[in-house]
Amino acid sequence: MSTIGNSHFFISDVYFIVALCILNIIGYFLLLQSRGFLKKKNETGERFASQSKPIIGGTMFMVTIIGAFVYCHFHSYYSVEDNNLIPLLVCCILAFGMGYIDDVKNFSPLFKLTFQILCAIIFIATGTHISTSDNIFLNAGLTFFWVVGIMNSINMLDNMDGITASNSLIMFLGLAGIASGCDSIILLSIATCLLMFLLWNWHPAKMYMGDNGSQLLGVLLAYFSIKYVWNSHESIIGINYEQILFVALMFIIPITDTTTVAINRFLAGRSPFVGDRYHTTHCLVYKGFSIPMAVITLDIATIIGTLSSWYFITQRNGILTITEAIILVLYFIIVFSVLYFLNLHIRKENNLLYKKRDE
């Protein structure tokens, strides 16, 4: 394509992003006027703060995704490789619908798990699966684990004003820097929508994301991370450990928070799926951080991890020296260890470990 043609599409993209910002601002303003809009129910588990506020994140994300798909279609961004975008849209609708129903009815974790597994099956059946190994069964198993794991991780991370939206925004921007074509438009669209959402979700939040938003973000992050991080290396000989490290770095906070909370709830004799007020985010606040500072601290960890992954994937073709690999692994271990043992310490102080609690 000529320089003029490239400029035309670039200008068109800029206009699209600006229009999207205006659309979201107007949409949020109108939705905020509706006092009867869906509120987050709090019938199970413990929460860090009151949730008697509108949960409309997923609604805006879904509208944005559909708009991005329509835009790509009319601007001829689709290619033969984009055929799997239709299954992605189907999974987005499933995740959003499942989250919305769960927001209203508060179903058991099995309800969510069923839809998460269904999304993983759809991805694998339509050719979007992890290919970091030459063993197809290992790849399929990793894909199931990753899709279900990330959808749950993003959902669990949505426990404090601004944390999920800001962390997801960083990861979407990182993925957009690796992606191309229609994928980059979709990723930038969601990133823009998240930025608008943060205006109302930042502490003190005026609206929440809800399961309808976190499940939708989870399935999107699972899909695009498989395509551009897990499968960023073209050659598959044995197991590509570099790609596993890049994924761990980009998703360092969701992975750390979910693993930490699951382990320590298990030690307390509680179900990992029952919410409480002792996530890694909460523990930072208990140690004297303000809510915005706790969010910013975790966002910085994600920025470092995401930038590292982006750099080595785009600038170094996923190749690491031994020294670089050791530094990156140490970074992940340090972040994980600090947050894990902080969580462990706070739970011990509150007698929440090694003791069966009545639900």
Side-chain angles (χ1 to χ4, degrees):
M1 185 180 290
S2 66
T3 303
I4 295 176
N6 286 327
S7 299
H8 169 74
F9 278 104
F10 175 75
I11 293 172
S12 181
D13 292 345
V14 171
Y15 280 132
F16 169 67
I17 297 300
V18 171
L20 188 62
C21 291
I22 296 172
L23 174 64
N24 275 278
I25 291 173
I26 294 173
Y28 283 129
F29 175 78
L30 293 174
L31 287 173
L32 282 172
Q33 308 312 306
S34 176
R35 296 182 181 276
F37 204 77
L38 179 66
K39 301 285 198 302
K40 178 65 178 179
K41 292 182 181 295
N42 189 18
E43 297 174 355
T44 59
E46 303 171 43
R47 302 299 179 190
F48 188 66
S50 170
Q51 298 199 11
S52 58
K53 296 175 184 176
I55 48 171
I56 59 177
T59 303
M60 300 310 298
F61 303 154
M62 196 69 233
V63 170
T64 300
I65 292 167
I66 293 173
F69 270 73
V70 172
Y71 176 83
C72 289
H73 175 75
F74 284 104
H75 285 74
S76 303
Y77 273 107
Y78 286 113
S79 66
V80 174
E81 297 177 353
D82 292 326
N83 288 334
N84 52 6
L85 287 178
I86 300 303
L88 172 61
L89 182 58
V90 171
C91 288
C92 286
I93 294 171
L94 288 174
F96 169 70
M98 171 264 287
Y100 192 91
I101 293 171
D102 192 63
D103 281 328
V104 175
K105 297 294 185 180
N106 282 297
F107 284 115
S108 70
L110 183 60
F111 174 76
K112 292 182 183 179
L113 182 62
T114 301
F115 280 86
Q116 291 163 353
I117 291 176
L118 179 58
C119 288
I121 292 173
I122 291 173
F123 284 162
I124 294 172
T126 55
T128 299
H129 54 79
I130 292 171
S131 299
T132 193
S133 165
D134 52 11
N135 186 312
I136 59 173
F137 298 105
L138 177 60
N139 288 337
L142 280 173
T143 303
F144 271 105
F145 180 80
W146 182 247
V147 174
V148 172
I150 287 302
M151 290 181 74
N152 276 299
S153 292
I154 299 301
N155 182 230
M156 291 178 70
L157 188 64
D158 187 27
N159 55 62
M160 181 182 286
D161 296 355
I163 181 62
T164 300
S166 59
N167 236 251
S168 297
L169 171 61
I170 295 164
M171 291 184 284
F172 274 112
L173 288 174
L175 290 166
I178 304 171
S180 60
C182 187
D183 287 348
S184 64
I185 296 299
I186 294 172
L187 288 164
L188 286 173
S189 299
I190 296 299
T192 305
C193 188
L194 279 167
L195 188 59
M196 297 299 101
F197 178 73
L198 267 173
L199 295 177
W200 285 272
N201 186 240
W202 193 256
H203 183 75
K206 297 179 179 64
M207 65 174 65
Y208 293 137
M209 185 178 294
D211 287 0
N212 64 90
S214 60
Q215 293 293 333
L216 178 54
L217 292 181
V219 79
L220 285 165
L221 286 169
Y223 172 86
F224 287 112
S225 62
I226 289 173
K227 192 170 181 179
Y228 292 106
V229 185
W230 277 103
N231 298 342
S232 58
H233 204 293
E234 294 183 359
S235 85
I236 304 173
I237 302 175
I239 298 177
N240 291 329
Y241 295 101
E242 295 90 347
Q243 278 58 53
I244 297 175
L245 178 57
F246 297 150
V247 167
L249 289 169
M250 183 174 286
F251 290 83
I252 188 168
I253 296 305
I255 289 173
T256 299
D257 182 69
T258 301
T259 305
T260 295
V261 169
I263 291 174
N264 289 336
R265 284 178 184 169
F266 178 78
L267 291 176
R270 298 189 57 161
S271 168
F273 302 104
V274 176
D276 60 25
R277 295 182 295 234
Y278 295 94
H279 283 262
T280 53
T281 46
H282 305 154
C283 292
L284 288 173
V285 175
Y286 297 149
K287 280 301 182 181
F289 285 64
S290 66
I291 289 178
M293 187 55 64
V295 172
I296 290 171
T297 299
L298 297 179
D299 285 346
I300 290 173
T302 299
I303 289 172
I304 294 171
T306 299
L307 281 177
S308 299
S309 297
W310 170 84
Y311 172 76
F312 284 105
I313 290 173
T314 62
Q315 308 300 313
R316 298 280 296 278
N317 295 319
I319 298 174
L320 296 170
T321 65
I322 296 297
T323 302
E324 291 166 343
I326 291 174
I327 291 172
L328 294 178
V329 169
L330 283 176
Y331 173 72
F332 180 86
I333 291 174
I334 290 170
V335 172
F336 183 92
S337 298
V338 168
L339 294 176
Y340 176 81
F341 286 109
L342 173 62
N343 187 274
L344 192 68
H345 174 70
I346 295 293
R347 286 176 180 270
K348 283 182 177 179
E349 281 187 341
N350 290 273
N351 297 317
L352 295 176
L353 287 177
Y354 317 113
K355 177 181 178 182
K356 181 69 176 179
R357 296 184 68 202
D358 294 331
E359 299 295 344

